Coordinates of all heavy atoms in Angstrom, one line a residue:
Chain A
M155 N 5.2 16.9 -67.6 CA 6.0 16.9 -66.4 C 5.2 16.9 -65.1 O 5.5 16.1 -64.2 CB 6.8 18.2 -66.5 CG 7.8 18.4 -65.3 SD 8.6 20.0 -65.5 CE 9.6 20.0 -64.0
S188 N 8.6 30.0 -60.3 CA 9.5 30.3 -61.4 C 8.8 30.8 -62.7 O 9.2 31.7 -63.3 CB 10.3 29.1 -61.7 OG 10.2 28.6 -63.0
Chain B
W85 N 22.5 23.9 -60.6 CA 21.5 23.5 -61.6 C 22.1 23.0 -62.9 O 21.5 22.1 -63.5 CB 20.6 24.7 -61.9 CG 19.6 24.9 -60.8 CD1 19.6 25.9 -59.9 CD2 18.4 24.2 -60.6 NE1 18.6 25.8 -59.0 CE2 17.7 24.7 -59.4 CE3 17.8 23.1 -61.2 CZ2 16.6 24.2 -58.9 CZ3 16.6 22.6 -60.7 CH2 16.0 23.1 -59.6
D86 N 23.3 23.5 -63.3 CA 23.9 22.9 -64.5 C 24.3 21.4 -64.3 O 24.2 20.7 -65.3 CB 25.2 23.7 -64.8 CG 24.8 25.1 -65.5 OD1 23.7 25.2 -65.9 OD2 25.7 25.9 -65.6
V88 N 22.7 19.4 -62.2 CA 21.4 18.7 -62.3 C 21.0 18.5 -63.8 O 20.5 17.4 -64.2 CB 20.2 19.5 -61.6 CG1 18.9 18.9 -61.8 CG2 20.6 19.6 -60.1
L89 N 21.1 19.5 -64.6 CA 20.8 19.3 -66.0 C 21.6 18.3 -66.7 O 21.1 17.4 -67.4 CB 21.0 20.7 -66.8 CG 20.7 20.6 -68.3 CD1 19.4 20.1 -68.6 CD2 21.0 22.0 -68.9
A90 N 22.9 18.2 -66.3 CA 23.8 17.2 -66.9 C 23.3 15.8 -66.5 O 23.3 14.9 -67.4 CB 25.2 17.4 -66.4
C92 N 20.2 14.9 -65.6 CA 18.9 14.7 -66.1 C 19.1 14.3 -67.7 O 18.4 13.3 -68.2 CB 18.0 15.9 -66.0 SG 17.4 16.1 -64.3
T93 N 20.0 14.9 -68.3 CA 20.2 14.7 -69.7 C 20.7 13.2 -69.9 O 20.2 12.5 -70.7 CB 21.1 15.7 -70.3 OG1 20.6 17.0 -70.2 CG2 21.4 15.4 -71.8
L156 N 11.4 15.4 -59.9 CA 12.3 15.4 -61.0 C 12.3 13.9 -61.6 O 12.2 13.8 -62.8 CB 13.7 15.8 -60.5 CG 14.7 16.4 -61.4 CD1 14.1 17.6 -62.2 CD2 15.9 16.9 -60.6
M160 N 10.7 12.5 -65.2 CA 11.6 11.8 -66.2 C 11.2 10.4 -66.4 O 11.1 9.9 -67.6 CB 13.1 11.9 -65.8 CG 13.7 13.3 -65.8 SD 15.4 13.3 -65.6 CE 15.7 12.7 -63.9
S176 N 16.0 18.2 -75.4 CA 15.2 19.4 -75.1 C 14.1 19.1 -74.0 O 13.7 20.0 -73.3 CB 14.4 19.8 -76.4 OG 13.5 18.9 -76.8
L177 N 13.8 17.8 -73.9 CA 12.9 17.4 -72.8 C 13.7 17.7 -71.4 O 13.1 18.3 -70.5 CB 12.5 15.9 -72.9 CG 11.7 15.3 -71.7 CD1 10.5 16.1 -71.5 CD2 11.4 13.8 -72.0
A178 N 14.9 17.2 -71.4 CA 15.7 17.4 -70.2 C 15.8 18.9 -69.9 O 15.6 19.3 -68.7 CB 17.1 16.8 -70.3
S179 N 16.1 19.7 -70.8 CA 16.3 21.1 -70.7 C 15.0 21.8 -70.2 O 15.0 22.6 -69.2 CB 16.6 21.8 -72.0 OG 17.8 21.3 -72.4
S180 N 13.9 21.4 -70.7 CA 12.6 21.9 -70.4 C 12.2 21.6 -68.9 O 11.8 22.4 -68.1 CB 11.5 21.3 -71.3 OG 10.4 22.0 -71.4
I181 N 12.4 20.4 -68.5 CA 12.1 20.0 -67.2 C 12.9 20.7 -66.2 O 12.4 21.2 -65.2 CB 12.4 18.4 -67.0 CG1 11.3 17.6 -67.7 CG2 12.4 18.0 -65.5 CD1 11.5 16.1 -67.7
V182 N 14.2 20.8 -66.4 CA 15.1 21.5 -65.5 C 14.8 23.0 -65.5 O 14.8 23.6 -64.4 CB 16.6 21.2 -65.8 CG1 17.4 22.0 -64.9 CG2 16.9 19.8 -65.6
A183 N 14.6 23.6 -66.7 CA 14.4 25.0 -66.8 C 13.0 25.4 -66.0 O 13.0 26.4 -65.4 CB 14.2 25.4 -68.2
N184 N 12.0 24.6 -66.1 CA 10.7 24.8 -65.5 C 10.9 24.9 -64.0 O 10.1 25.6 -63.3 CB 9.7 23.8 -65.8 CG 9.1 24.0 -67.2 OD1 9.3 25.0 -67.9 ND2 8.5 22.9 -67.7
L185 N 11.9 24.2 -63.4 CA 12.1 24.3 -62.0 C 13.2 25.4 -61.6 O 13.1 26.1 -60.6 CB 12.6 22.9 -61.5 CG 11.6 21.9 -61.5 CD1 12.2 20.5 -61.4 CD2 10.5 22.1 -60.5
R186 N 14.3 25.5 -62.3 CA 15.4 26.3 -61.9 C 15.1 27.8 -61.8 O 15.5 28.5 -60.9 CB 16.6 26.1 -62.7 CG 16.7 26.8 -64.0 CD 18.0 26.4 -64.8 NE 19.2 26.9 -64.1 CZ 20.4 26.6 -64.6 NH1 20.6 25.8 -65.6 NH2 21.5 27.1 -64.0
N187 N 14.4 28.3 -62.8 CA 14.2 29.7 -62.8 C 13.6 30.2 -61.5 O 14.1 31.1 -60.8 CB 13.2 30.1 -63.9 CG 13.7 29.8 -65.3 OD1 15.0 29.8 -65.4 ND2 12.9 29.7 -66.3

Side-chain angles (χ1 to χ4, degrees):
Chain A
M155 180 180 178
S188 120
Chain B
W85 283 102
D86 284 346
V88 172
L89 176 58
C92 289
T93 302
L156 207 51
M160 292 193 291
S176 69
L177 173 59
S179 301
S180 198
I181 287 175
V182 174
N184 283 346
L185 290 167
R186 84 182 288 176
N187 294 339

